[in-house]
Amino acid sequence: MVRTEAPEDAYTAEPFVPGRGGLSALQRAAADCRGCPLHRDATQTVFGAGNEDARVMLVGEQPGDQEDRQGKPFVGPAGRLLDRALEEAGIDPSETYVTNAVKHFKFTQAEPRKRRIHKAPNLREMTACGPWLAAELAIVEPELIVVLGATAGKALLGSSFRVTQVRGTVLEEEIHGRAERLVPTVHPSSVLRADDREAAYRGLLSDLEVAARVLG
């Protein structure tokens, strides 16, 4: 069956999400998602990756330039920094599941050959992509969600979320019909942009150490 793009007043990935199957089935289906307009300019869908039995799921904002080109999440500089921080905090990156609230790269570009500049997804786009994240949570069933940044927090916890107010704390909330424990922190890309990168990194590491203690 051929599925067309959702009308503007009804952006949602729901019709594209399969009713059965594991993460591999989700990933195959997501490749053809037309639930919002972001697929038009992105190179490809960038679905989550990692251990299906992971105790911890890390949720970021959206793929970046390198992720869009390679088709894998957190493979750029921010991903490498995140892996380093996870290891230092005592969380094995190979035993996690990493994904994004939005599965397509949103960007601006002055000219076709110019560098593509990240642009934050809006609430409609985050909501449209929500069924993919809900399906990932239902399959992985993590013990803990690490929320990476404001956009991921708003996608999971609502538009009033402020990462600066709750970072490094343990939250208990119902997310997509499941009782979840969450530890919010900043997105690792913000560490790379910080004026005092070392201090920003220590803050990220401190938050991830909270997550490690929750996991025991």
Side-chain angles (χ1 to χ4, degrees):
M1 180 176 67
V2 177
R3 294 190 176 105
T4 58
E5 185 176 298
E8 186 172 344
D9 61 348
Y11 289 163
T12 179
E14 189 65 45
F16 302 89
V17 179
R20 58 195 303 176
L23 289 175
S24 58
L26 286 182
Q27 186 171 21
R28 288 192 299 271
D32 295 320
C33 186
R34 303 292 183 268
C36 83
L38 292 185
H39 71 89
R40 297 173 187 164
D41 297 321
T43 304
Q44 58 194 312
T45 303
V46 180
F47 207 69
N51 191 334
E52 189 164 316
D53 299 315
R55 297 177 66 199
V56 58
M57 178 183 285
L58 299 114
V59 181
E61 178 190 277
Q62 66 165 354
D65 181 77
Q66 289 302 312
E67 289 79 7
D68 175 71
R69 297 179 192 280
Q70 298 184 41
K72 298 177 182 179
F74 289 94
V75 293
R80 292 191 290 273
L81 184 142
L82 177 61
D83 282 350
R84 172 188 158 200
L86 285 169
E87 289 176 350
E88 288 190 32
I91 300 172
D92 186 345
S94 69
E95 296 181 358
T96 67
Y97 182 85
V98 293
T99 191
N100 285 297
V102 172
K103 312 303 189 199
H104 285 110
F105 180 34
K106 182 178 182 179
F107 60 91
T108 59
Q109 191 173 27
E111 298 176 20
R113 295 186 180 181
K114 295 290 186 180
R115 186 167 65 95
R116 300 185 300 175
I117 306 300
H118 160 276
K119 186 176 181 181
N122 60 38
L123 182 60
R124 177 180 286 183
E125 291 154 353
M126 289 188 284
T127 302
C129 219
W132 292 119
L133 188 54
E136 289 172 293
L137 283 167
I139 291 172
V140 178
E141 296 185 319
E143 294 178 32
L144 180 69
I145 301 170
V146 174
V147 182
L148 300 171
T151 298
K154 290 177 181 179
L156 287 165
L157 297 163
S159 59
S160 64
F161 176 85
R162 297 292 182 271
V163 67
T164 54
Q165 296 176 0
V166 293
R167 62 175 299 181
T169 65
V170 182
L171 307 178
E172 295 188 3
E173 301 285 346
E174 183 171 309
I175 308 293
H176 295 299
R178 281 175 41 87
E180 303 284 3
R181 288 187 299 174
L182 309 95
V183 172
T185 187
V186 296
H187 195 284
S189 63
S190 71
V191 175
L192 297 174
R193 297 192 303 267
D195 292 334
D196 188 341
R197 188 179 295 187
E198 186 57 38
Y201 179 79
R202 289 196 302 269
L204 171 64
L205 179 59
S206 176
D207 296 341
L208 292 177
E209 287 172 342
V210 173
R213 288 195 292 272
V214 172
L215 294 168

